[in-house]
Every structure is written in C-alpha cells, then in structure tokens.
Amino acid sequence: LNGCEGWAVPSHPLRSMNTATTPRLLRRPQVEELTGLPRTTIYELVRKGQFPPPVPLVGRTVAWPEPAVREWIESRIAGKGAA
C-alpha cells in the first residue's frame, strides 16, 4: 500500500443500494416455485388482472417484483381472492 494511503476505493453501485427498499425481482421459474402455479396459469391470471404483471427488464426478459408476488400469495392465504 506504499503511496496509496488515503485513496478512496470507489464502491460498486449495487453495494450502496438499500436492499430493504429495493425489491428483489423474480424470474418466472421462481414465481412458479413460490406460487405453485404453472406458467400458463400465471400469464392467464395476469391477463385477467388477477396476478401482478411482470416488469420488462431488457428485450423480452421480464421479472416480477417479489413484494407483489408475496402480497398475492398472502391474499390467497387470507381468502381474499379466487382464481
């Protein structure tokens, strides 16, 4: 470290993100695993407005905000909706 004392090491942008406020994005296989629903049912429910829609990432790649999926699951457990 000779001659490097006092240098600031730039932090990675993701390190500074507050993970408590930044929702994790789930890809379709993760959504299927969490909900127990197959792909076709997930997209059918999205089409009907009964499941949170995915958000576009890049190109044709999409993901679901984890909080929205977990809220949907909780509403199912609480009996607040029918598919």
Side-chain angles (χ1 to χ4, degrees), residues 31-79:
V31 173
E32 290 176 18
E33 183 179 333
L34 278 175
T35 63
L37 298 174
R39 177 186 70 230
T40 54
T41 302
I42 291 169
Y43 282 112
E44 179 68 16
L45 292 174
V46 168
R47 188 181 68 73
K48 292 178 178 179
Q50 298 175 355
F51 192 81
V55 295
L57 298 180
V58 63
R60 294 177 52 191
T61 305
V62 297
W64 282 259
E66 184 176 22
V69 174
R70 292 201 180 274
E71 285 176 23
W72 182 87
I73 293 168
E74 291 298 323
S75 74
R76 308 305 292 178
I77 292 170

